[in-house]
Amino acid sequence: MRPCATTRPAAGSCKQWHGGYPEIVAAKKHLLAGLVVAVVAALVVVSITPLSVSPPAPERSAADGFSAGRALLLLREIAAAPRPIGSDGAARARDAIAAQLDALHLAPHVQTASAVSAQSGRVAGTVRNVVARLPGRDPSRAVLLVAHYDSVPVAAGAADDGGGVVTLLETARALASGPRPRNDVIFLFTDGEERGLLGARAFLREDPWAYGVGVVLNFDSPGSSSPVLMYETSPGNGLLVREFVTGAPHPYASSLMYEVSRRLPIESDFRPFVAAGVPGMSFGALDGPAYDHTAYDSLESFHADSLQHEGDTALALARQFGDLDLWDLHREDVVYFDVVDGLTVVYGKGLVLPFVALAAAVFAVAVVVAARRRLLSLRGLSLAVPATATVLGVALLVTAVVWGMYRTAYEERTWSETGVVISDFYRLGLVLLAAAVIVAAYELLLRRLRPWDLAVAALFWWLVGAVAVAVTVPGASYLLTWPLAGASLGLLAAVLLGDRALHSAAGVAVTLAGAAPGVVLMSSATYLLLMSAGLKQVVTVLAVWLVAGLLVIPLGVVRRGSRLWLPVALAGAGFVVLMAVGSTVAFDTEHPRFTSIYYRVDESGAARWQTVDRIDDWTGQFLREDLRRQFQDAYFPQMGVRSTIVGAAPQVRLAAPAIEVLRDMTVGDRRTVRLRLRSPRGAQVVSLLVHSVVGGLTASVDGLPLQGWDTTILDGTTVRWWFDYYAPPPAGVVVTLRFAAGPAVMLRAVDFSYGIPPQLAGQYDGRPPGMLPGRIGDGTLVERTLRLPAVKAAASPPTTR
Ligand SMILES: [Zn+2]
C-alpha cells in the first residue's frame, strides 16, 4: 500500500487511499485518531495526578518515626481557635507548644521582642516566639526548623500554619527519642508571621541563637491538600537540593517554582533568613481550594496525608542536615524537577546552555534531513512560521473574549467581593476552550500547509522559547529544553519514515513518543502554577499552544480520522464545564460570602456600627433602616481607610486609647515629638494616624525605624501617615515623630480588638450558614485625637518650608 501523497497534496485531498477496502482504511484511521487522543489525554492525566505519599501513620507507630496520628492530636489543641498576634488564642497555642517542648525536656524559652515588618514598614508589634534546642553530639552549626503559630484573625489556621507547628513538635519528639544527630537542632515557632514576618525578623535581629544557624527549613502551607512541595530555596542551592533529593522519602520539587516564588512578593518566614544570607528551603502544601486565610482553613478541611508527607520530609531532613557539616552549604545553583515519583532530575546551572545547544542541534539535524528529503519547502516554512504564531494570537483573543463575557455573566455568583474566585473548575473549562481553538486553527492550517512545514515551524517557536528562558530564567529552562529535544528526535524519526509517517501507526508512534516529555512537563508545570500562583490565562493558553505544537503530525492523523470532531468535542466540553461552574456554584455554606461588623466609638464618645461589606441578612440586624444609615470613611488596621456603611449603636463604656506626649522639642526647623501610645482596655492593635500636612516626616517605634513620609494615603479623611502596632504591652509603646516645625498637628490614636463588645454580642444573632467573617474579622475600635499646638521654627538653621 502506498501513501497517497509523496509530494505536497492539494488542499483537503488524501481522502482516498490507493488500494485497500475503504471501510477498513476508514476504521484504521478512526482507531489511530482515537489512540492519539487517548494517549495524549492519559499523559496529561498522569502528569497532573499528585504523587502518592505514605498514608498517615497511626498514633501507635514507631517512636523514632513521624506519626501524623500523634501530630493530629496536637493539632486539635493548636488549631482549636484563631490565634492572631496578641490574641488569647495565640497565648493558648504558645502555652501548648511550650508545654509539649517541656515534656520533651527541650527547655523552651519565649523570646519577647519588638519588630517592624520589612514589607510595609508601617506595621510593628511585640512578638512572642517559642524557641527550643535539641543539643547535638558534635555540632558544626545548627539546623533550624521554623513554623509560625499565629494565624489570621478569621481562621483557625489548621493548614496555615498549624500543620507546620505540629510537624515541628512531632519531629522534635521523634528526634529526641531516636539517636541524636551530630548538629544542634533548633525549633522556632514564630509569632506575627501573618502581619509582616515579625517573629522571624525579631529572632534574626535579637536572639543570640540566630548566629549559629547553618541551615533553615521553613514549613508553611498556603494550601490544605496535595503533597508537600519544596517551593523555595536560598540562592546557591546545589548542595541543598541534592541533600533534599537523597534525604527526603518522597521529594517533590521544581526549580520552576523557585524561579516563580522568588519573583513573587510571597510572605513567608523564609524570606528574612534568605535576606540574612542563611541557606535553606521552604516546604508546604500548595494545592486545595482557596481556603487559605479564610475560616475554612480549619481542622475539618485539613488533610492528614499532607501532614504525614510534611512530617516525613521534616524528620528526614532534620536527620540528613543534622549529620552534615553545615559550615558551608553554598554551591552552584541547580535545575531540578520531578519526572515521576522517586526520580528527580538535578543538574547544575552551568549545563543549562549546553543542554539547549544540544536540543537545538537535534532540531537542526531533523530540519536538515527533512530538507534533503524534500519534505520541507522554503515557501511552506515562510508561511508556517507566522501562521503558527497567529494560532497563539487567535487563541488568546478568543479566550479573552469568552473570559470577559463569562465574568460579566457570572461575576455576582462566582466571585466574592474581595475578587477571590470561589471555584477553580472554571480554569479547566478555559484550558479545554483554548485547546479547541488551537486544534481547530491547526486543522485549518493543515488544509493549506504540509504537516512537515508546520511541525518544523512549531518547534522553531519552542527553540526561540528555550533559548530565551535559558538565558533569563535558567531554573525554568528544563520545561522547554527537554521537550524540544524529545520532539526533535521524534520529528527526525518521522522524517526518516518519510511521508509514510503521515498515515502510519509508526509515524504516530515516533512523534507521540517524542512529544511525551513536553506533554508531561508542560501539564505538570501548568497544573502546579494554576494551583499555587493563580496562573493567568495567558500562560495557560501559551502552554496549550506549545503542547499542540509538539503534536502537529499526530494532529494531522487525527484530522484524517474525522475532520473537526476533536475541536468541536473540546469546545463542547469546555462550555459544559464553564456553564456548570457558573450556574451551580454560588454563595452557600461551601462557598461563603464574607461579611463583618465593627463597633466604633469616636472621640466624642458616640458609638456606631460599621461594615465595609454590604447590608445583608446578617449585618442588617446591626445597621437597621430606621437608624439612618450613612456612608463614612474610617480607618482600620491592616485595611487602611475604607468606605463604610454606618448606623447608630448602643452605648458601651470603653476606655479610649491614650496618647501621652513625653517630649516635644523643636531644634532649628525640625520638631521632634515623643509619644507614649497605649490601649488601657488591652486592645490587640493600636494605630497612630497623622491627619495634618507635615513636611519630611520620619518615625520610629521603640527605637526601630518606621517607614516615613513617602507613601501616604490621601483620601476622604486625609490620613497623611499611619502605623499599626500589634500586641502592644500594657505600658504602651514609645513613638518618635520628627517633622518640619510649623503649624498645629492633628494626631489620632485608634485601638482595635477582635470581636464586638461581649456585652452586645449576645443581643444579636450569629451568622447564618453561608456567611463568614472576612479579612480582619469583626472588631471593636475606639478613637482619640490629640492636637499638637503650632510652634515657630527657630531662625537658625533657616526654615525651608
Ligand atoms: Zn503561613
Side-chain angles (χ1 to χ4, degrees):
M1 190 166 66
R2 276 164 46 86
C4 70
T6 48
T7 54
R8 183 168 175 269
S13 77
C14 206
K15 282 176 192 163
Q16 297 284 312
W17 283 15
H18 306 292
Y21 295 99
E23 315 82 67
I24 296 173
V25 172
K28 193 181 156 197
K29 278 192 271 185
H30 288 305
L31 186 67
L32 215 48
L35 265 176
V36 168
V37 174
V39 168
V40 173
L43 283 175
V44 171
V45 169
V46 166
S47 51
I48 66 171
T49 304
L51 106 170
S52 59
V53 294
S54 327
E59 288 160 44
R60 297 176 163 281
S61 50
D64 61 349
F66 188 97
S67 154
R70 286 190 288 255
L72 277 174
L73 294 179
L74 295 168
L75 187 64
R76 285 202 192 106
E77 204 177 341
I78 302 290
R83 42 190 189 285
I85 173 174
S87 65
D88 295 343
R92 280 193 297 271
R94 188 163 58 241
D95 292 346
I97 293 164
Q100 179 66 17
L101 294 166
D102 249 334
L104 297 171
H105 308 293
L106 294 180
H109 72 268
V110 174
Q111 180 210 6
T112 304
S114 286
V116 176
S117 156
Q119 249 81 6
S120 90
R122 299 280 189 74
V123 176
T126 300
V127 293
R128 292 167 181 83
N129 296 329
V130 186
V131 199
R133 186 181 200 116
L134 179 77
R137 301 186 317 269
D138 175 25
S140 58
R141 287 172 128 180
V143 179
L144 177 72
L145 272 63
V146 187
H148 67 90
Y149 75 84
D150 68 315
S151 72
V152 296
V154 295
D160 183 11
D161 186 22
V165 168
V166 297
T167 290
L168 262 61
L169 289 174
E170 170 66 4
T171 299
R173 191 207 52 72
L175 282 180
S177 58
R180 280 292 159 100
R182 169 191 164 185
N183 297 317
D184 291 0
V185 181
I186 303 175
F187 299 90
L188 169 63
F189 302 84
T190 60
D191 188 11
E193 190 270 352
E194 300 287 3
R195 294 315 313 132
L197 322 178
L198 299 176
R201 287 172 61 79
F203 176 80
L204 273 163
R205 205 170 61 88
E206 287 183 19
D207 198 300
W209 285 3
Y211 295 103
V213 173
V215 65
V216 57
L217 305 172
N218 178 48
F219 295 85
D220 192 357
S221 291
S224 59
S225 62
S226 86
V228 167
L229 179 79
M230 192 274 275
Y231 60 88
E232 207 173 359
T233 77
S234 54
N237 58 24
L239 183 61
L240 288 168
V241 171
R242 289 199 167 91
E243 291 295 327
F244 164 62
V245 167
T246 51
H250 294 275
Y252 179 40
S254 148
S255 47
L256 168 72
M257 281 308 296
Y258 167 52
E259 298 283 11
V260 171
S261 61
R262 73 197 183 101
R263 284 171 172 78
L264 290 179
I266 292 178
E267 290 224 338
S268 100
D269 277 340
F270 188 58
R271 285 295 164 92
F273 285 95
V274 172
V278 183
M281 294 176 276
S282 243
F283 305 85
L286 306 182
D287 208 339
Y291 284 173
D292 191 32
H293 297 173
T294 76
Y296 277 157
D297 178 4
S298 64
L299 286 166
E300 289 78 59
S301 60
F302 189 77
H303 289 247
D305 296 23
S306 283
L307 182 58
Q308 185 66 43
H309 191 211
E310 190 168 16
D312 285 340
T313 306
L315 180 58
L317 293 186
R319 290 201 169 117
Q320 182 95 350
F321 287 103
D323 286 331
L324 210 66
D325 189 317
L326 299 180
W327 285 107
D328 183 19
L329 295 181
H330 204 272
R331 298 291 189 282
E332 184 199 27
D333 266 335
V334 285
V335 175
Y336 50 96
F337 56 97
D338 295 315
V339 182
V340 287
D341 185 16
L343 176 58
T344 308
V345 175
V346 184
Y347 55 86
K349 242 181 195 173
L351 286 172
V352 165
L353 289 177
F355 282 152
V356 173
L358 181 72
V362 179
F363 176 56
V365 168
V367 172
V368 168
V369 174
R372 296 188 107 197
R373 299 194 152 214
R374 302 189 183 283
L375 297 174
L376 300 174
S377 73
L378 209 54
R379 185 180 162 273
L381 279 176
S382 63
L383 289 173
V385 170
T388 42
T390 310
V391 172
L392 174 64
V394 170
L396 286 172
L397 192 72
V398 172
T399 46
V401 169
V402 172
W403 185 236
M405 283 160 53
Y406 186 67
R407 267 203 88 140
T408 313
Y410 291 113
E411 178 105 48
E412 269 294 291
R413 297 174 62 89
T414 49
W415 276 267
S416 74
E417 291 88 40
T418 48
V420 174
V421 66
I422 61 176
S423 168
D424 276 331
F425 272 105
Y426 76 87
R427 297 183 202 273
L428 172 66
L430 266 191
V431 168
L432 289 169
L433 270 189
V437 174
I438 290 164
V439 170
Y442 269 110
E443 145 72 28
L444 292 177
L445 288 180
L446 280 164
R447 293 183 186 192
R448 305 264 159 226
L449 296 165
R450 295 181 74 186
W452 299 113
D453 290 326
L454 276 175
V456 167
L459 286 188
F460 166 76
W461 291 116
W462 274 86
L463 176 64
V464 170
V467 171
V469 170
V471 171
T472 55
V473 199
S477 62
Y478 73 90
L479 207 51
L480 292 142
T481 304
W482 299 113
L484 173 64
S488 298
L489 274 179
L491 180 66
L492 179 60
V495 162
L496 293 175
L497 288 171
D499 270 335
R500 202 147 46 90
L502 304 179
H503 313 277
S504 65
V508 169
V510 293
T511 44
L512 264 187
V519 177
V520 168
L521 290 177
M522 270 290 156
S523 308
S524 61
T526 307
Y527 182 76
L528 198 59
L529 290 175
L530 274 175
M531 286 304 161
S532 58
L535 190 60
K536 300 271 177 289
Q537 62 259 33
V538 175
V539 188
T540 320
V541 174
L542 184 67
V544 176
W545 173 73
L546 281 169
V547 168
L550 301 174
L551 298 169
V552 172
I553 305 255
L555 270 178
V557 173
V558 172
R559 177 178 167 264
R560 279 162 214 282
S562 49
R563 303 269 128 191
L564 281 169
W565 71 264
L566 183 57
V568 168
L570 286 168
F575 272 110
V576 166
V577 170
L578 284 178
M579 292 303 127
V581 170
S583 50
T584 57
V585 169
F587 290 104
D588 56 24
T589 47
E590 287 278 294
H591 311 94
R593 213 178 259 285
F594 295 106
T595 180
S596 302
I597 193 78
Y598 303 99
Y599 180 86
R600 185 184 294 258
V601 181
D602 66 19
E603 50 268 21
S604 72
R608 286 161 291 164
W609 290 120
Q610 290 180 313
T611 183
V612 296
D613 305 299
R614 62 189 76 193
I615 304 276
D616 52 38
D617 292 350
W618 186 70
T619 53
Q621 61 176 335
F622 300 95
L623 297 158
R624 291 209 299 274
E625 207 73 63
D626 52 313
L627 294 176
R628 283 187 38 224
R629 291 177 204 155
Q630 40 180 311
F631 293 90
Q632 200 171 66
D633 282 346
Y635 181 81
F636 297 87
Q638 191 179 325
M639 300 195 296
V641 176
R642 300 292 294 258
S643 171
T644 65
I645 306 170
V646 175
Q651 213 70 34
V652 174
R653 274 196 172 280
L654 292 170
I659 323 179
E660 184 189 343
V661 179
L662 302 175
R663 190 176 192 198
D664 184 350
M665 196 176 67
T666 302
V667 177
D669 62 349
R670 296 289 290 170
R671 185 174 185 180
T672 303
V673 182
R674 288 187 77 186
L675 307 160
R676 186 186 301 281
L677 195 60
R678 203 160 58 80
S679 172
R681 68 188 182 93
Q684 284 85 10
V685 194
V686 54
S687 306
L688 181 69
L689 285 61
V690 176
H691 277 271
S692 306
V693 179
V694 291
L697 179 98
T698 61
S700 64
V701 60
D702 288 345
L704 301 170
L706 293 164
Q707 193 178 315
W709 183 242
D710 45 316
T711 54
T712 52
I713 307 168
L714 292 169
D715 55 78
T717 56
T718 58
V719 177
R720 306 291 168 163
W721 182 86
W722 57 265
F723 106 100
D724 300 330
Y725 196 96
Y726 285 78
V733 291
V734 175
V735 184
T736 306
L737 301 175
R738 287 194 182 81
F739 48 91
V745 174
M746 232 267 276
L747 301 177
R748 177 176 302 199
V750 183
D751 69 5
F752 175 93
S753 53
Y754 299 115
I756 60 174
Q759 302 94 307
L760 298 178
Q763 300 173 23
Y764 298 89
D765 295 332
R767 284 179 180 75
M771 287 190 179
L772 287 175
R775 305 177 193 89
I776 57 173
D778 302 333
T780 301
L781 302 105
V782 186
E783 300 183 346
R784 159 163 299 174
T785 52
L786 174 75
R787 213 177 114 92
L788 298 171
V791 293
K792 261 213 182 87
S796 167
T799 309
T800 51
R801 242 181 344 105

